[in-house]
Amino acid sequence: MKSIHAQFAWLGGESCALNVRITTNNGLISAIEPNSAATAKDLRVVGVVMPGFVNTHSHAFHRALRGRTHSGAGLGDFWSWRTLMYQVANRLTPENYLALASAVYSEMALAGITSVGEFHYVHHQPDGKHYQDPNEMSKALIEAARIAGVRLTLLDVAYLHGGLNGQKLGQEQQRFTDSTIENWLSRVDMLGASSAMHTVGLAPHSVRAVHEVELAQIAKHRKNRVVHIHVSEQPAENEACRAATGRTPTKLLSDAGLLGSFTSAIHATHLDASDIALLGQSKTFSCFCPTTERDLADGIGPSAELVAVGSPLCLGTDSHAVIDMFEEARAVEMHQRLISNKRGVHRSSELLAAATVHGASSLGSKIHGLVVGAPADFIAIATDSVRLATFDGENGAAHLVHSATSSDVRDVWVGGEQIVKDRIHRSVPNIAESLRTSIAAVL
Ligand SMILES: [Zn+2]
């Protein structure tokens, strides 16, 4: 049994509670007591304790592109960025990806991320041949998360086609594919049982790469696993889907039996009114990745409409142009303000929930947050910086969403174990150097 005494804690509302004792036992939260005096045994936390961030959409190796693809005239669009990204994808090996991903997940831990959903599609050797263990790359990612001390949902990607009209996969996409949906399902089944620190989910890449009959197969063989899929990130994807099938990607997923509270629609940017209604009725999650979507000039998704009809929002750092879940949460609201000429489209508590508890549900967790019975995954935000020096708990959610950065995360606990203490990671002491060397190896 361990206990901490927090000066402030965000328990889900607009304001923060004061003087909150949090007791943990066997990795779970066993008591939350606001307005309590500290006892001699308590670890005193000055600042704000809140649930750990849940990053629902990550491609760990994209971190290698940070600082290399963002500026200059004539940068092109999503599709020209993808060419650069594929070059890095084809330099990955199980060894260098283990080093890179453990550095990236450690950077996430430092930013207060306690769970990550890794949308993983670099499965095989560059020529498409399997490694001796066909899940060698997946296992490298599971090991990377273990080193970093964060929970992982390995969203194993099915990638079967180069488009909706029978286009073959390109040379640079050979290592992503298992050729058939049956091969993919049996390889994913071979990943075996989950552990306390990792689970496996199913991730058809997109309606371009996995067609309707295969999507229906995934629905049939889901076995309680969550489903994540890129949906309508680009207008071109919608146009191709309509031309080939007469339907939108969202309608196609609905017809394949793949919408529901077990599914997350990643990006969900270019939706029409009927798509929004389908996602809402089915309680499908909408995962926004605003710092990536704006970097890639994707557009701004209809977050307010989705929330209004019942699709919970969750958030991902996706390409890792930055790893800062406060920035993702803030961006959802700020992008809406710019396009609606209205302020306060989303409540701040709703934005923090998107970055924490809804994200955990999207990854299949039954309970998350500062509640009794949840895993003891929480973080402490320092309030001694110039950014948060006037923090007093009143409107605490708004103060955090609109002013805090990942640099304000001081301490991180996962399963009751402290993995970051005073901004130092317990097992990866020099994360910046780990990033430098592991990224240099794949460029
Ligand atoms: Zn993605």
Side-chain angles (χ1 to χ4, degrees):
M1 181 112 75
K2 294 180 204 165
S3 54
I4 66 171
H5 186 271
Q7 184 186 12
F8 304 103
W10 180 69
L11 301 178
E14 296 304 321
S15 292
C16 290
L18 296 173
N19 296 315
V20 182
R21 281 192 83 223
I22 301 168
T23 310
T24 70
N25 201 2
N26 288 330
L28 302 178
I29 295 173
S30 54
I32 300 271
E33 301 166 273
N35 305 310
S36 297
T39 70
K41 285 189 307 183
D42 294 347
L43 175 69
R44 303 285 288 263
V45 176
V46 177
V48 193
V49 172
M50 61 174 281
F53 287 121
V54 179
N55 185 1
T56 47
H57 193 66
S58 160
H59 305 281
F61 75 89
H62 291 193
R63 174 65 180 81
L65 299 172
R66 186 186 294 179
R68 292 179 167 80
T69 62
H70 311 298
S71 69
L75 264 180
D77 58 10
F78 170 88
W79 306 101
S80 51
W81 167 85
R82 195 177 73 156
T83 305
L84 291 169
M85 184 268 283
Y86 279 174
Q87 288 172 6
V88 175
N90 277 288
R91 292 189 191 120
L92 298 173
T93 66
E95 295 75 23
N96 68 28
Y97 205 10
L98 171 63
L100 173 55
S102 46
V104 175
Y105 295 155
S106 300
E107 180 182 354
M108 289 187 198
L110 217 55
I113 291 163
T114 55
S115 294
V116 56
E118 176 66 31
F119 201 95
H120 167 54
Y121 53 88
V122 187
H123 300 304
H124 307 300
Q125 299 183 49
D127 60 2
K129 283 205 192 77
H130 288 196
Y131 289 103
Q132 193 170 16
D133 175 349
N135 281 315
E136 199 163 336
M137 290 294 255
S138 301
K139 288 176 183 172
L141 291 169
I142 292 169
E143 174 62 8
R146 191 196 63 75
I147 291 168
V150 302
R151 297 184 201 273
L152 175 79
T153 297
L154 185 82
L155 300 159
D156 195 298
V157 172
Y159 205 117
L160 304 174
H161 309 285
L164 281 142
N165 295 311
Q167 297 98 316
K168 296 244 176 310
L169 291 172
Q171 191 57 41
E172 72 285 3
Q173 296 166 314
Q174 291 306 314
R175 64 185 318 190
F176 308 163
T177 187
D178 292 279
S179 302
T180 68
I181 199 75
E182 292 80 10
N183 289 350
W184 172 71
L185 280 165
S186 61
R187 182 179 56 72
V188 177
D189 283 343
M190 278 162 52
L191 272 167
S194 302
S195 70
M197 291 300 286
H198 90 278
T199 56
V200 175
L202 304 178
H205 179 274
S206 56
V207 299
R208 296 193 308 276
V210 182
H211 294 168
E212 185 174 11
V213 59
E214 296 148 349
L215 293 168
Q217 290 252 68
I218 294 173
K220 199 167 150 201
H221 297 284
R222 193 171 64 80
K223 299 181 193 161
N224 269 330
R225 289 169 288 199
V226 297
V227 174
H228 280 221
I229 178 168
H230 293 129
V231 178
S232 295
E233 179 176 7
Q234 289 289 324
E237 173 190 325
N238 287 358
E239 285 153 25
C241 190
R242 275 187 201 281
T245 70
R247 286 164 290 165
T248 64
T250 300
K251 180 72 169 85
L252 205 70
L253 289 175
S254 178
D255 291 348
L258 266 188
L259 294 188
S261 58
F262 55 87
T263 291
S264 297
I266 311 301
H267 302 302
T269 305
H270 299 282
L271 304 177
D272 66 21
S274 63
D275 294 334
I276 293 168
L278 283 171
L279 293 170
Q281 282 155 20
S282 60
K283 308 287 178 212
T284 300
F285 288 86
S286 296
C287 174
F288 278 34
C289 309
T291 66
T292 296
E293 288 150 7
R294 66 193 185 198
D295 181 40
L296 298 181
D298 287 341
I300 298 172
S303 56
E305 290 93 329
L306 286 162
V307 169
V309 297
S311 168
L313 277 190
C314 53
L315 300 169
T317 63
D318 191 358
S319 67
H320 313 311
V322 294
I323 295 179
D324 184 340
M325 293 295 283
F326 285 120
E327 179 59 30
E328 303 295 342
R330 175 160 56 239
V332 170
E333 167 68 14
M334 290 310 185
H335 291 180
Q336 290 302 315
R337 291 186 187 189
L338 287 171
I339 57 173
S340 70
N341 302 112
K342 288 200 190 86
R343 304 180 76 227
V345 177
H346 293 280
R347 291 194 310 275
S348 297
S349 58
E350 187 182 282
L351 295 166
L352 285 184
T356 56
V357 292
H358 295 332
S361 303
S362 151
L363 294 180
S365 167
K366 291 193 174 52
I367 182 168
H368 182 72
L370 295 182
V371 286
V372 172
D377 296 359
F378 46 76
I379 63 179
I381 311 299
T383 49
D384 56 0
S385 72
V386 287
R387 287 178 293 281
L388 297 175
T390 54
F391 190 93
D392 62 4
E394 191 82 11
N395 296 315
H399 203 148
L400 291 172
V401 166
H402 292 287
S403 310
T405 75
S406 57
S407 304
D408 296 313
V409 175
R410 189 186 55 217
D411 304 298
V412 179
W413 290 262
V414 174
E417 298 296 322
Q418 189 163 8
I419 64 163
V420 174
K421 188 175 186 183
D422 214 2
R423 298 185 175 86
I424 304 290
H425 193 284
R426 71 170 178 192
S427 47
V428 189
N430 191 340
I431 297 170
E433 183 58 21
S434 301
L435 286 164
R436 273 193 291 273
T437 50
S438 64
I439 288 171
V442 299
L443 288 177

